[in-house]
Amino acid sequence: MALKRITAPTVDLVTLAQIKQHCRVDHNDDDNILTFYAKAAISYLETRKGMMGLAFMQQVWELTYDAFPCGNMMIPLRPVISIDKIEYIDATTGIYVEWAAPNYTTDLASDNAWIAPVDSWPSP
């Protein structure tokens, strides 16, 4: 299984102005280091391998499995807003095939979101 961020958040979780206000810094000498510390702290806490295992801001991720699971397909990062598509490689043609949404159900509201086939997973 591989999890790869495709689109990072478009805005900062915490702005430099907010950091400076909280730290009571009224000069620009430390702007670079304060920004670096903020990004390091967020990186340490968020994402699948972070301390919290959460995505703090809206972003786009790609989840790749080597094979379809025997049961439900768990999504290792939360919260999940939507599933854009599910694709698999057709063994005969070697071409990516999109699996239509009516073929699977999702539970995006649970702490650990998952995808399950309505009948069975495709046979790639």
Side-chain angles (χ1 to χ4, degrees), residues 2-63:
L3 188 62
K4 175 180 154 186
R5 182 161 55 187
I6 304 300
T7 306
T10 56
V11 295
D12 291 329
L13 180 62
V14 181
T15 66
L16 178 60
Q18 290 170 322
I19 296 167
K20 289 172 74 170
Q21 181 182 16
H22 180 75
C23 296
R24 298 188 175 134
V25 173
D26 58 1
H27 57 79
N28 299 331
D29 297 346
D30 297 323
D31 285 3
N32 288 340
I33 195 70
L34 290 172
T35 301
F36 173 80
Y37 287 156
K39 288 182 180 187
I42 291 166
S43 177
Y44 177 74
L45 293 172
E46 89 163 342
T47 72
R48 183 179 135 228
K49 294 182 180 179
M51 291 294 293
M52 297 185 73
L54 297 168
F56 294 149
M57 305 282 294
Q58 188 169 335
Q59 36 198 296
V60 177
W61 290 81
E62 178 181 274
L63 177 60

Side-chain angles (χ1 to χ4, degrees), residues 40-122:
I42 291 166
S43 177
Y44 177 74
L45 293 172
E46 89 163 342
T47 72
R48 183 179 135 228
K49 294 182 180 179
M51 291 294 293
M52 297 185 73
L54 297 168
F56 294 149
M57 305 282 294
Q58 188 169 335
Q59 36 198 296
V60 177
W61 290 81
E62 178 181 274
L63 177 60
T64 305
Y65 280 90
D66 293 333
F68 286 108
C70 294
N72 295 345
M73 183 181 294
M74 303 307 288
I75 302 172
L77 185 61
R78 57 192 170 104
V80 177
I81 296 171
S82 66
I83 306 293
D84 291 342
K85 64 182 172 180
I86 296 177
E87 293 181 322
Y88 62 94
I89 300 174
D90 183 276
T92 308
T93 63
I95 296 173
Y96 281 93
V97 177
E98 187 169 344
W99 199 37
N103 294 321
Y104 59 89
T105 60
T106 61
D107 178 358
L108 307 182
S110 295
D111 279 343
N112 295 310
W114 52 265
I115 302 165
V118 170
D119 293 317
S120 62
W121 293 107

